Amino acid sequence: MHLEEIKNLPQKIVRDLEGVDHLKVYLVQDYNLSLLKRMVDFGLNIFGELGMDEWGLVPQIRHGNVFILKEEDKKRIIGLAILMRDWEDPDKAYLFDYAIAEEYQGNGLGHHFLTAICENLLEQGFKRMSLTVDVENMPAIHLYKDKIGFDIVKESKDEYGEGHDRYIMQFDLDDAQ
C-alpha cells in the first residue's frame, strides 16, 4: 500500500500544512517496504547512524505515533516525527525524533509541522508533550521554546554519554490551540 492510498482511509491525513501549498501532515498507520525505506533513509540522512532503522521504526508505526510531512502527490519525505506514550504519565507523549529536511529548514515548516502534530495529539487525548534537545542546538531550542512554547524543565548532564548534555523540555498541549 502506498502512502497516497492511505490518505483515503479515515483519520490518516492529519491536516494540510497551514500556509504552505501541497504539503500535508500524515499520521502513518500502515506502510509498504518502499515507504519504510524512505522513512529510514530520511532519518539516517538527518541523524546519521543514530537514525532509526526498520527494526525500530515498524514498532513505532504499529504502537506509537509516526508523522511525516510530504507533498501530496510526491514520494519525497520533507519532515518526520516519531512519538511514544510516556508510561509513567499516560497523558504525556514523548517526541523521540523530529526533523525537517535540511534544504527546507529555516522557512517555518518545522513550526507548522510541529503545531499540526500538537493539535492531533490533543485530539488523541494527550495533555502534554516532552522532548530532549542538545543544549547547543540553538535552532531547535528556538523552535521548541520561542515558537511553540516548550519550557525547559531540567538540564540533564551526559544524558546520552559523556559530553551529550540535553535540555528536557515540556509543553502543555492546551496551549497549542
Side-chain angles (χ1 to χ4, degrees):
M1 179 181 295
H2 295 286
L3 184 64
E4 290 76 17
E5 295 169 353
I6 292 172
K7 72 180 182 176
N8 295 320
L9 300 175
Q11 300 294 317
K12 302 302 187 209
I13 290 181
V14 174
R15 63 184 272 194
D16 292 345
L17 199 61
E18 187 175 315
V20 182
D21 290 337
H22 308 299
L23 290 183
K24 296 195 180 296
V25 178
Y26 294 85
L27 177 59
V28 180
Q29 295 178 320
D30 198 356
Y31 65 92
N32 65 10
L33 293 179
S34 173
L35 175 59
L36 182 64
K37 180 176 178 2
R38 290 195 316 272
M39 288 190 293
V40 167
D41 288 348
F42 180 87
L44 291 173
N45 185 46
I46 297 287
F47 299 111
E49 65 183 24
L50 301 176
M52 192 172 290
D53 65 13
E54 58 275 353
W55 295 99
L57 192 53
V58 169
Q60 291 292 353
I61 292 169
R62 297 215 189 280
H63 304 287
N65 270 321
V66 176
F67 294 87
I68 59 173
L69 175 64
K70 65 180 276 311
E71 290 182 80
E72 185 173 9
D73 296 324
K74 307 279 180 170
K75 293 184 183 273
R76 183 160 187 257
I77 295 170
I78 296 168
L80 174 70
I82 301 171
L83 295 105
M84 61 183 76
R85 184 178 299 272
D86 185 319
W87 282 89
E88 293 180 7
D89 182 356
D91 291 333
K92 182 167 55 175
Y94 175 74
L95 184 60
F96 182 77
D97 269 349
Y98 184 76
I100 298 292
E102 188 173 349
E103 61 270 25
Y104 289 89
Q105 293 175 8
N107 297 312
L109 291 180
H111 174 258
H112 291 299
F113 184 36
L114 191 52
T115 298
I117 291 166
C118 289
E119 290 171 357
N120 183 267
L121 290 174
L122 188 60
E123 290 172 13
Q124 291 183 49
F126 288 97
K127 294 181 177 18
R128 288 170 298 290
M129 183 191 316
S130 67
L131 58 85
T132 67
V133 62
D134 188 306
V135 298
E136 295 179 8
N137 188 343
M138 299 319 280
I141 293 167
H142 176 67
L143 169 65
Y144 300 138
K145 187 174 185 292
D146 302 329
K147 298 275 185 167
I148 302 293
F150 278 80
D151 294 315
I152 297 172
V153 295
K154 180 180 176 185
E155 183 174 347
S156 182
K157 192 119 177 97
D158 301 327
E159 177 81 3
Y160 296 115
E162 189 174 338
H164 295 280
D165 301 342
R166 309 288 282 192
Y167 288 133
I168 298 172
M169 302 182 82
Q170 187 164 289
F171 178 65
D172 183 346
L173 291 169
D174 284 331
D175 294 340
Q177 297 180 333

